[in-house]
Amino acid sequence: YRPPKPYRHPVLDARLTKARLAFEAKVLERCRREGVPVPAVYAQNAAAGWIAVEWIEGAPVRVKINEWLGQRPKNEEEEKAALEKDQGPLVELMKRIGSAIAGLHRTGVVHGDLTTSNMMLRPPVKTTKMTTTTTTTEEGETNGVISEEAQEKAKLLEGDVIIIDFGLANQSQSDEDRATDLYVLERAFASTHPRAENLFEHLLESYKQSFKKGASVLHKLEDVRMRGRKRSMIG
């Protein structure tokens, strides 16, 4: 729902809201038809300023990544060792994100505000859990606790990546626009998850492998990065 903006003329505000919501619904429906992981549109009333979309179970990718990373280690060496020890589940998640964005861009849609807050991680369908028998040692430690903890941690990052919040989306076949989409996500990821910043390359590699024009988009991304660095230097 988009409430009226009092600082705009009522007629202009109603016209802009109607057009924007109608376009957002159109983009979501187009993505669904093409198999892009986005919420389904159930109903809409652009004139009244609302659209009803599918409720996505789970949590934002941002929350799950930070939960997986856990408490920040005391020093840089511990942090590096912790990441190198078992980064497999996070790498796989980055690949799934890259694949989802590739599908979006292949459809001719750019998101406009890609962040890990605008992606949901929908948990897989639960299966019947098998019971296990554990034994306790004299020291009071339960056999298999470490492996169970590792499995539970890996489960944090399981599930399908669903892209949400298309309020700033646009239709575009431009490599420049697609590269800008990736650049926005890259900057947001580095700011939100600095400890996992080095894993962003796995997302880009997956994007490249999942999208025929991925190589040219990544080439354009280098230009976008360069302009971004220049703006940062100039202020």
Side-chain angles (χ1 to χ4, degrees), residues 24-117:
E24 184 175 348
K26 180 181 177 182
V27 165
L28 285 171
E29 290 169 350
R30 178 179 177 179
C31 288
R32 288 283 293 188
R33 286 196 304 269
E34 297 296 328
V36 181
V38 300
V41 177
Y42 292 146
Q44 61 174 299
N45 188 332
W50 62 265
I51 58 175
V53 299
E54 175 187 7
W55 173 265
I56 305 298
E57 296 289 343
V61 169
R62 171 186 55 81
V63 172
K64 287 297 184 179
I65 290 179
N66 285 338
E67 189 176 350
W68 189 86
L69 289 171
Q71 188 176 2
R72 188 178 181 87
K74 296 179 181 179
N75 54 58
E76 195 172 309
E77 291 183 359
E78 285 186 12
E79 183 172 340
K80 184 178 179 181
L83 277 177
E84 291 179 349
K85 184 178 180 181
D86 183 23
Q87 61 184 16
L90 185 51
V91 169
E92 290 303 314
L93 174 60
M94 299 300 287
K95 291 179 179 179
R96 297 203 300 279
I97 294 173
S99 179
I101 298 171
L104 179 69
H105 287 176
R106 189 167 51 245
T107 306
V109 174
V110 291
H111 188 275
D113 189 25
L114 281 177
T115 68
T116 50
S117 293

Side-chain angles (χ1 to χ4, degrees), residues 64-65 67-68 121 151-158:
K64 287 297 184 179
I65 290 179
E67 189 176 350
W68 189 86
L121 192 58
Q151 290 175 7
E152 288 300 318
K153 184 177 180 181
K155 287 180 181 178
L156 287 173
L157 303 183
E158 289 181 352

